[in-house]
Structure formats: C-alpha cells, structure tokens
C-alpha cells in the first residue's frame, strides 16, 4: 500500500487547543480508518514542523482525501510526501534502467 509522510504545522486554532492534540490524533486515526487508510504513526516534533504523521492508503485518492479531511478541521496545515519502500524503489529503478 502507498505510504505518505505528512509534515504538519499547527494553525492558530490548533495551537490554542494544544491540550487536545492527543485526542485529535486519535480522532484522525479513526477518520482515516473509515476511508480505508491507516495512521501508522504520529510524532510531535521540535523544529520546522509540529507533527509528523505516517499514513498508509490503498491509493493516492484515498491518501489525499484523508489529509484533506485532517486539514479541513482547521487545526493543522499539511505538506504531504509520497514515500516509497525498498521494494517499490527496486521497481522504479528497474523501469528507469529500461
């Protein structure tokens, strides 16, 4: 299944409600699951991003829908990266090599 790394920053609303962040993460995990995706892990970080989430989804559309739902709540803004595992990278290299 495709994997996505979401780099998240709190909005003004999100930082005002920082005490609820763990509960919001649980809600996000439930919402993602209803779409057929899975929140593999979430980390609260120090640096240019406030959180990092790792999401697995059956396809790009589902991954995008999950992150749109998250952003739509208004607590975070996301930058999402499509991540490739070793096996996927081997297939990419084989295609590039011709």
């Amino acid at each position: 299944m495709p994997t996505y790394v979401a780099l998240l920053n709190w909005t003004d609303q999100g930082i005002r409600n920082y005490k609820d962040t763990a509960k919001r993460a649980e809600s996000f995990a439930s919402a993602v699951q209803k779409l057929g995706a899975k929140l593999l892990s979430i980390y609260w970080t120090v640096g240019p991003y406030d959180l990092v989430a790792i999401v697995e989804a059956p396809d790009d559309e589902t991954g995008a829908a999950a992150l749109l739902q998250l952003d739509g709540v208004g607590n975070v803004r996301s930058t999402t990266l499509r991540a490739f595992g070793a096996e996927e990278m081997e297939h990419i290299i084989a295609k590039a090599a011709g």
Side-chain angles (χ1 to χ4, degrees):
M1 247 197 293
T3 303
Y4 307 88
V5 177
L7 306 172
L8 308 170
N9 279 312
W10 279 328
T11 61
D12 288 342
Q13 173 183 307
I15 195 67
R16 277 193 307 271
N17 299 311
Y18 71 91
K19 291 179 183 177
D20 296 332
T21 188
K23 289 179 185 174
R24 290 194 312 251
E26 289 175 18
S27 295
F28 175 54
S30 294
V32 165
Q33 192 170 15
K34 288 177 185 174
L35 291 173
K38 183 176 181 182
L39 176 62
L40 297 179
S41 55
I42 189 164
Y43 301 96
W44 287 261
T45 58
V46 176
Y49 297 98
D50 298 313
L51 303 99
V52 175
I54 311 299
V55 176
E56 208 174 56
D59 51 54
D60 288 340
E61 291 83 4
T62 304
L67 290 155
L68 279 172
Q69 273 190 350
L70 175 64
D71 286 0
V73 174
N75 292 307
V76 294
R77 297 270 184 261
S78 65
T79 300
T80 305
L81 309 168
R82 171 64 166 89
F84 298 92
E87 186 176 317
E88 290 172 300
M89 195 61 206
E90 290 295 332
H91 287 111
I92 292 167
I93 291 167
K95 284 185 178 184

